[in-house]
Every structure is written in C-alpha cells, then in structure tokens.
Amino acid sequence: MKKTKKSVTPLNFTGGWDYAPAPESKDHVQLKDRYDLFINGAFVKPLSGKWFDTINPATEKRIAAVAEAGEKDVNSAVTSARKAYDGVWGKMPAKERGKYIYRIARIMQERARELSVIESMDGGKPIRESRDIDVPLAAAHFFYYAGWADKLAYALPGATPRSVGVTGQIIPWNFPLLMAAWKIAPALAAGNTVVLKPAETTPLTALKLAEIIQEADLPPGVVNIITGAGTTGAALVNHPGVNKVAFTGSTDVGKIIQKALAGTGKRYTLELGGKAANIIFEDAAIDQAVEGIINGIFFNQGHVCCAGSRLFVQESVMKTVVRKLKDRLETLVVGDPLDKNTDIGAINSRMQLEKIKKYLKIGVNEGGEMYQAACSVPSKGFWCKPTLFTNVSQSSRIVQEEIFGPVLAIQSFRTLEEVIEKANNIPYGLSGGVWTDKGSRIFKVTGELRAGVVWANTYNKFDPTSPFGGYKESGVGREGGLHGLMPYLQHV
Amino acid sequence: MRETRSALRYSVTESPAIDQVGVDERVSRMTKRSIKKESKLQALKLAMSMLDLTTLEAKDTPGKVRQLCIKAMHPHDLLPGIPAVAAVCVYPNLVRVAKETLEGSGVKVAAVATAFPSGMSTRKMKLEETRWAVGEGADEIDMVISRGQFLAGEYNFVFDEIAAVKEACGAAHLKVILETGELSTLDNVRRASDLAMNAGADFIKTSTGKIQPAATLPVTLVMLEAIRDYYYTTGKMIGMKPAGGIATAKLALQYLVMVRETLGQDWLNPDWFRFGASSLANDLLMQIVKEHTGVYQSIDYFSKD
C-alpha cells in the first residue's frame, strides 16, 4: 500500500450541508408519574415505602419515580414466584407455556416504537439502536425460546429435563430491555418462575415489560419485577427461596455474588466485564474494518461488555487505519438520543461519566496520545466525545481495565504470534474480533483467542440462537441458544 | 517502454480488498440518515446543480437536444432560485448543437466517446473520436474502459488506453466509465477505480446506463473510498459520477449523504460530484416545489424534455 503524502490537508467534514434535527416523536409514549413493584401479577406499593427518581441522562430531567424494593418486598416477590412455580407454571403443559411466551413476543413487537423511545429516554442510547437492535432483538429472544418450551427433551437427548425453580435475575443498565429478554425468556421456556431486578438508572422498559406481561395474561407471580439498587439486588441473591441466580454486570459485583453463593447450592451464571481485542491484519478490507472498529467501540456509547475496546493494528497499516478512524470520528453525530441521525447518545449516568473521565485522565497521564472528535456536545446531560488513544501499551491501565465508555486504545503489532499473546494477556475473555481477507488466518486466530465470542470481519452481531458468555473474569455460563437453556434446566 | 512505466504506476496489489457485507452495512447506515426541512431543500438544489442531464439514444435529434439544453438552463423558472444543471451529456455528433444552445450559460457539454457504450473498437478510432468530440466543443469526455481486457487481467492495456484518451482530451475533462455492472465484484470496482485515477481520470463514473445494474450505492461507496485514498496518497482530488438508475430525489439525497460522510464538504459541488440522469430532474423539482408549497403538484406541472 502506498504511503500517505504528508502535505495533504485532511478532509473537511464541517460546515456546508448538514442534517437538520430529526427527533423521533414521543407523543405516543405513555408513562406513569410513579411506578410500583410488579409482584404477583399486580403493581403494588413497596413495603419499604420508598421511591426514587429515574432521569433522562440527555437532559438530567426526571422522567418518573420508581419503587425501591426492601428486604420485605424481595421476600414477597420470591414468595409469589414460589407459589406460581409450585401451583401453576411448573405443572403447566409445555405447549401452553410456549403460547404465553409467544404472546409476550408479539405484544413487544406491537409496542416496539413505544419501547424504543422509552429505552432511549431512560438510558441515553440513540433511537437508531433501540429501534433497530435492542427492541427487535429482545422480541426475537422471546420468540426463539418460546419455540423451545415444548421441545426440551430434544435439548437434552437421553435425559429428562426438569426446571430449576425460582430464578433471581439482576440485569445491567446498558441494554435494559434486551437483557431482561435474555434472562426471562429461557427461564420461562424451561418452566421456571422469575424475580427480575432491572438497574436503578434504567428501570422503565422492564416496568413496561411488566405491563406487557400483564396484558399477555401470564399467571400471577410467574414473572415479578422489582426495582431498586445494589441492596435490593443483594437481598434477592441472598434470599433462601431462590434456586438460581443470573447476573449481568460488573466483574466487581460478580465476584461478590459468587462469594455470597458459595456453598448455598444455588446455581448461578455471571456475565461480567470485558476488554475485547479487535485485530486488524494488513490484508484486511481496510475501510470495512474501520467501520467495524467504529461499531465495535462506539455502539451504545461503548457501554457494551463485549465492546472492541482494544484495537491491534498490524504496523504496516497503522497510520492508514488511524487516519481513517479520525476521519470517521468526524462524521459521527453525537447528541440527542431521540434524534434519528444520532450515532452516539448520552452517557448513561453521571457516575459512569465520572468513571470515563477518570480513565481519560489516567490515559493522558500515562503518556497516551488522546484524540477526540471535534463535535460539540450539549451543555446539559452526560456526554463524552468519541475518543481514540494511541501511544499506549499493554501496561497502560486504559488497556488493561474496562472503561465502559466510548474510548478506544490502539496498539500496533508485527506478527500473528505477538498479537495473540497480547490479546490474551488480560484478565478478561469475553469477546474479540479479527479482520483479514485470508480464511486460514481467521481460523488460526479465532482458535487461539481465549474469548467466548470471536467475530470475523464483523463485530457486535447478536442472534438469539447464538450462545454468549466469557472466560476468566468475564464470567461463567452462557446465555442465548441451546447453551442458554442449560442453566435453567436440571439434567435428570 | 510504456508498458514498464504503466506497471510502475498501477499494480493491483496496491488496491485493498473490499468486503461486500461490510460495504452493504455501511450503505444501510447512511441510507437511514433523516434529511428534513431546510437541510432537505438545500440538498435538493445541490443535487439539481450536480446533474449531467443526459440523452443517449440512437433516435436523438438536434431538436431533441436543443429542448434538453433549454431545460438544463431553465429547469423550472416558475420558482426562482433553482440552479441550472451542471452539464448536458450527448453523443459526439450532437455536441455542436448542444454547445450552440448552451452558449454563455455556464452549463457544460459532455460527450460520450471511445465507441460508447461497448468500447469495442480500436485505440486509433477511440482517440480520433475523442479528438473530434473535443473539436466539436465538448468540455468533458465520458469514455468507457475496455472491460474485456480488464477482466482478462490486461491492466496495462486499460491503463495505457485511459492515459492516451486523457492526452487526446487536451483541456477537456475526462470522466472514465468503469461500467461496474460488468465488473462483477467490488474488488474489481476498486481496482478499476485505482487504475483509472492513476492513468489520469479527472472523474470516475459508474456506468453507461446501458447495462444493468447501473449505479448502485455500494458501488459508489467503494469508488468514493478509492478517491479518498488516492487523495491522501497524491493530494489530488478526483470527481465522482454515478450514472443510471438514479430516478428519485430520495435516492439522490442518499448519494449526497454518502459523499458528505466519505469525502467531506469539499466534494459537495458540481466540480467534484455529478449525477448522470434524465428523469431525476423532474423528481427533484417536484420535491423542491413541495418543500415551498407544502403540497405535491401533478407531474404535468413540470416540463418533460
């Protein structure tokens, strides 16, 4: 490849013809001013007597108040889940169970627009993503697992599959509705009942899902949705009536849960952090690889456990790739999550923004060269410009630690052996990406990367039929596909 | 001598691989941009000013070409502020008529040459035709590449042909038609783009309009990316012209989004980007009028020439 001429002025992406604001309407969205806990098929006031506000991270304005479930509330949710399991759901013919799950999926599709707008309002993610990815994929998970409900015998040939009982599920704030679907759908298909706790900053779509579950006429207590923060989650994990815990979130909390569960006999799956290596070889389709890197790290503001946050570029194309990334950064639209043209929305919370800022400072102090898009960001709300770091190394903290924001750390490599060693040299092992035009190299790299998911010449592709989960500090267990059914079944 | 020099100036190994799935995904992202209100009106007018209003039929006559030229200069005088198109594109034997009609208007005359659309002729004839078209007054020459030789891997032949036509053009601008509908893969589109730019093209153009598929968004993206890389390598700007199959304003705006996000603002003018089209003009006009009045008018309110 020919080298870039030094004297060339960079392309100009500012001024001139621009896109006018194109905000998605939120007139059709119906939100209550205050949400109670969804227990035993009805919304009930919390025994704790406490509520807290959930805000729009793009405006810092309050959207609604949600209940804070205390220990007694958790107990009441688990008790109703147990009653529903023993009395109805556990005994129901599998085919009937499937019908309910299909019904949830269909209602989600019918209300897709409302769900995507709320998802963007509550969490800050661009409407393009919630409309095209989060909501359709969440419905797809319900459809997929609904199909398994009466075919469990085929999932475990030679064994008689049995459900586990009451499952306690805790989900994160980055994909609120999608994670609820990942957790609830397989649990129900396998015949379990559910107590789900959404994250405190993004509880609204889970509560909307509770309304959908009501509308689908699911027997009371089969799914209970309780809101709250860490203490609520801890009460759920530690409740003796829970048979299985499913958690998606940070590695720190995952470790606490694992300790708490040791010796209790409760089953658990943990889907934790990541620091994926995205590897570009010199023969890759460079422009498409650059697009893949952009999607890999800036999808959902980088609030993605499998984000491609470490980039390894073969040295011969390093300059070209970095130049192309910088040009692409200038065309990313940062701003109002409800605008249909927005590529990068708001950071989910002030706390997360502070964490990202802390890492930016660390990166600069460590000698990293920081490059940010020239875009402006709104004065209200939580924002971080898309950021690239070059001149970093394996020992840099921004290379080793999960930032969970729109920050990409770029390193070069010379040989395949070197890049595999560096890619695996990290406490995490959730995902990875490889970009090359050579098929044999794809197999070599994917075979040697210690990561649960490795994408080749693409990134961040999800499908309900495909298992997802990590090695090492990225967690235990798999979600999605046939594998995702296993944690919810006893093999008798 | 010439063969050696060519080999030094273009080798297929300098063209990067193209991944079709990735190209399609990027295109789909860009087609989802929402263009509304003032942004839409501005883009519609911009697209109008980038038109190469084209008639390339064997039944073309001086009368028909004259009418088209008047449309080119006065697309819709009922509404002030609508720009004239960039050029009128005709066969070489009608260049003189077009030139006379467009005299002093600033609208350019483009002529297809080099045994358009097939290119199945000798180099001597192609060069002669080019010189003749320029002599008749063509400001721009739209040549076709020899696809047969290209697909046979005779890159030097194609390279030298383009270089020779460029020389024959003199002061006239050269647009090189790759006829991407016959090149089969995006890898080939990229190679042909790189080859044409290195050989002296001022513009690269997708299609003759006589072969299906003609211009598509994925093919155009690959060509724009080739232009971008060439710019960074040489410092030279090359123009882009998708042609054929672009009949609606909505599609035209998607092309503009692609230019904006691939090459930036400097390419968003008729000097560096053109649409080869005929029926697109009236759809653009219809949308422009709609932006002003709020209602769509019947197609009978727009002149068909």
Side-chain angles (χ1 to χ4, degrees):
Chain A
M1 189 166 288
K2 283 184 184 170
K3 292 278 176 269
T4 303
K5 207 171 162 180
K6 286 217 172 64
S7 56
V8 175
T9 327
L11 296 173
N12 166 28
F13 293 101
T14 52
W17 178 54
D18 202 356
Y19 312 133
E24 174 78 41
S25 157
K26 48 184 181 184
D27 299 345
H28 59 286
V29 170
Q30 291 183 345
L31 281 170
K32 290 188 270 191
D33 185 61
R34 201 173 81 175
Y35 281 90
D36 295 331
L37 303 169
F38 183 65
I39 296 174
N40 207 29
F43 283 94
V44 295
K45 286 197 165 44
L47 298 170
S48 71
K50 286 188 209 159
W51 280 267
F52 61 95
D53 286 343
T54 180
I55 64 161
N56 181 337
T59 60
E60 297 179 54
K61 282 194 185 130
R62 171 189 181 277
I63 307 175
V66 291
E68 186 182 327
E71 227 164 287
K72 283 180 188 159
D73 298 300
V74 172
N75 185 49
S76 135
V78 174
T79 309
S80 89
R82 173 61 59 193
K83 225 175 89 199
Y85 178 73
D86 291 338
V88 193
W89 197 250
K91 293 192 250 172
M92 188 183 283
K95 206 164 74 182
E96 295 305 309
R97 252 184 5 239
K99 283 183 194 169
Y100 283 106
I101 308 172
Y102 276 122
R103 210 181 284 163
I104 295 171
R106 284 195 299 270
I107 302 174
M108 280 177 85
Q109 282 186 326
E110 281 162 18
R111 294 173 66 172
R113 235 180 113 210
E114 186 188 7
L115 289 170
S116 48
V117 170
I118 296 173
E119 198 74 311
S120 285
M121 285 168 66
D122 202 20
K125 66 173 65 202
I127 187 75
R128 181 183 61 78
E129 289 176 9
S130 44
R131 178 196 65 201
D132 296 348
I133 300 164
D134 291 65
V135 176
L137 203 51
H141 268 269
F142 277 103
F143 274 116
Y144 172 73
Y145 280 110
W148 269 118
D150 61 351
K151 302 174 194 69
L152 296 175
Y154 299 95
L156 297 165
T160 312
R162 275 219 320 250
S163 51
V164 174
V166 174
T167 61
Q169 308 181 324
I170 300 169
I171 57 171
W173 45 260
N174 56 344
F175 295 94
L177 185 67
L178 182 59
M179 289 302 111
W182 278 31
K183 297 274 184 288
I184 296 175
L188 294 186
N192 305 285
T193 56
V194 169
V195 179
L196 176 102
K197 187 197 87 69
E200 65 270 28
T201 60
T202 56
L204 292 181
T205 44
L207 293 163
K208 276 279 153 187
L209 182 60
E211 289 178 8
I212 289 172
I213 283 165
Q214 258 183 335
E215 200 183 323
D217 216 11
L218 216 69
V222 174
V223 175
N224 305 274
I225 296 177
I226 53 170
T227 43
T231 48
T232 310
L236 180 58
V237 167
N238 293 321
H239 195 288
V242 168
N243 301 102
K244 179 203 151 41
V245 171
F247 171 77
T248 298
S250 72
T251 295
D252 289 344
V253 176
K255 284 178 179 172
I256 296 170
I257 291 177
Q258 201 168 16
K259 274 182 203 152
L261 294 180
T264 62
K266 290 179 195 170
R267 300 161 150 249
Y268 60 88
T269 44
L270 305 171
E271 205 273 89
L272 310 175
K275 191 81 184 175
N278 216 348
I279 304 168
I280 297 199
F281 289 93
E282 60 184 0
D283 68 331
I286 298 288
D287 283 308
Q288 288 75 58
V290 164
E291 194 56 26
I293 299 164
I294 293 285
N295 289 332
I297 182 62
F298 300 127
F299 175 51
N300 198 27
Q301 296 74 246
H303 302 328
V304 185
C305 45
C306 57
S309 47
R310 288 185 297 153
L311 176 64
F312 291 97
V313 188
Q314 199 153 22
E315 216 165 288
S316 53
V317 290
M318 180 74 170
K319 276 188 187 148
T320 309
V321 168
V322 171
R323 187 198 74 220
K324 282 172 183 284
L325 282 172
K326 287 180 177 174
D327 274 347
R328 183 68 178 95
L329 233 52
E330 298 306 324
T331 58
L332 290 171
V333 180
V334 184
D336 180 9
L338 285 179
D339 193 305
K340 285 174 243 175
N341 287 328
T342 293
D343 295 309
I344 299 185
I347 298 302
N348 188 269
S349 63
R350 184 183 296 281
M351 204 172 93
Q352 187 57 26
L353 180 63
E354 294 307 322
K355 184 181 163 194
I356 296 167
K357 281 184 177 166
K358 181 191 87 182
Y359 275 109
L360 295 183
K361 216 175 266 174
I362 291 171
V364 171
N365 288 344
E366 283 175 333
E369 205 171 298
M370 184 169 86
Y371 180 87
Q372 289 188 313
C375 63
S376 60
V377 295
S379 52
K380 268 272 180 199
F382 314 131
W383 308 94
C384 178
K385 292 179 182 182
T387 307
L388 308 176
F389 267 102
T390 49
N391 201 26
V392 295
S393 60
Q394 286 291 98
S395 55
S396 310
R397 281 184 67 191
I398 57 165
V399 167
Q400 287 294 321
E401 298 173 22
E402 184 180 43
I403 300 173
F404 224 61
V407 183
L408 179 67
I410 310 173
Q411 291 175 271
S412 68
F413 70 94
R414 293 152 302 171
T415 65
L416 185 140
E417 291 72 22
E418 179 189 349
V419 75
I420 287 176
E421 188 179 21
K422 284 181 173 170
N424 285 334
N425 173 218
I426 190 121
Y428 297 107
L430 188 57
S431 59
V434 52
W435 302 81
T436 169
D437 208 32
K438 194 165 182 166
S440 56
R441 193 175 288 137
I442 291 175
F443 286 111
K444 170 87 174 158
V445 174
T446 51
E448 297 199 6
L449 280 184
R450 294 198 63 218
V453 186
V454 184
W455 287 284
N457 291 330
T458 187
Y459 207 90
N460 276 342
K461 288 282 176 299
F462 305 97
D463 190 278
T465 62
S466 174
F468 183 92
Y471 283 82
K472 300 190 274 187
E473 291 208 5
S474 291
V476 288
R478 294 291 179 266
E479 291 182 300
L482 179 58
H483 299 67
L485 214 45
M486 297 308 169
Y488 293 100
L489 288 173
Q490 298 188 54
H491 314 193
V492 184
Chain B
M1 229 4 234
R2 172 161 253 170
E3 290 295 306
T4 330
R5 203 175 62 214
S6 311
L8 283 175
R9 286 155 79 190
Y10 177 72
S11 140
V12 285
T13 56
E14 66 192 64
S15 296
I18 305 295
D19 181 65
Q20 176 150 13
V21 176
V23 170
D24 289 345
E25 277 182 13
R26 180 73 186 104
V27 167
S28 141
R29 255 314 261 281
M30 289 197 265
T31 56
K32 283 180 185 156
R33 289 295 192 205
S34 176
I35 312 295
K36 297 257 188 282
K37 298 174 190 149
E38 64 274 28
S39 167
K40 183 173 181 183
L41 186 59
Q42 197 187 346
L44 291 167
K45 288 184 179 173
L46 185 59
M48 197 70 207
S49 74
M50 290 167 160
L51 269 184
D52 278 8
L53 209 54
T54 303
T55 183
L56 292 170
E57 292 175 5
K59 64 180 188 228
D60 285 347
T61 59
K64 159 83 182 169
V65 169
R66 258 181 232 116
Q67 288 170 352
L68 196 69
C69 290
I70 292 165
K71 171 87 171 178
M73 295 183 286
H74 309 278
H76 195 71
D77 285 351
L78 286 171
L79 191 69
I82 295 178
V85 307
V88 169
C89 183
V90 295
Y91 272 115
N93 59 337
L94 292 163
V95 165
R96 191 171 288 275
V97 179
K99 189 75 182 174
E100 282 165 10
T101 319
L102 293 170
E103 183 80 57
S105 68
V107 178
K108 302 271 198 298
V109 179
V112 294
T114 71
F116 180 94
S118 72
M120 299 299 254
S121 183
T122 63
R123 180 155 317 164
K124 188 162 162 259
M125 305 280 275
K126 291 181 188 182
L127 296 179
E128 212 162 288
E129 190 190 7
T130 305
R131 280 191 281 267
W132 174 56
V134 173
E136 290 290 289
D139 304 297
E140 302 169 356
I141 296 293
D142 290 24
M143 74 168 286
V144 291
I145 65 164
S146 300
R147 282 87 77 190
Q149 271 82 2
F150 180 86
L151 291 172
E154 295 172 31
Y155 301 119
N156 288 345
F157 178 94
V158 182
F159 186 103
D160 290 343
E161 191 164 76
I162 296 169
V165 174
K166 169 71 183 167
E167 208 176 317
C169 279
H173 271 231
L174 176 64
K175 304 194 199 102
V176 177
I177 303 171
L178 311 180
E179 195 64 303
T180 53
E182 290 188 338
L183 297 184
S184 167
T185 66
L186 292 180
D187 284 307
N188 275 343
V189 170
R190 172 68 196 222
R191 288 171 183 181
S193 304
D194 289 344
L195 185 155
M197 289 187 291
N198 279 290
D202 297 302
F203 261 73
I204 50 177
K205 174 175 168 184
T206 58
S207 323
T208 59
K210 304 292 182 192
I211 294 283
Q212 288 304 320
T216 64
L217 288 163
V219 155
T220 303
L221 178 59
V222 171
M223 292 170 73
L224 291 172
E225 284 170 347
I227 291 172
R228 179 170 64 187
D229 288 347
Y230 187 78
Y231 170 73
Y232 274 116
T233 314
T234 64
K236 278 187 225 150
M237 286 171 78
I238 304 289
M240 172 70 201
K241 177 177 171 184
I246 308 165
T248 65
K250 188 176 178 189
L251 186 54
L253 297 199
Q254 291 174 344
Y255 277 92
L256 294 185
V257 166
M258 193 173 271
V259 177
R260 182 185 180 276
E261 297 201 7
T262 310
L263 291 170
Q265 297 291 340
D266 295 349
W267 265 262
L268 278 176
N269 60 65
D271 289 342
W272 301 108
F273 192 79
R274 298 279 182 86
F275 289 106
S278 44
S279 57
L280 175 60
N282 274 350
D283 198 48
L284 288 171
L285 290 173
M286 200 190 251
Q287 300 293 338
I288 291 172
V289 172
K290 191 246 166 185
E291 286 301 308
H292 281 280
T293 63
V295 289
Y296 282 107
Q297 290 183 352
S298 149
I299 192 71
D300 289 337
Y301 288 81
F302 302 94
S303 63
K304 284 183 182 166
D305 286 294

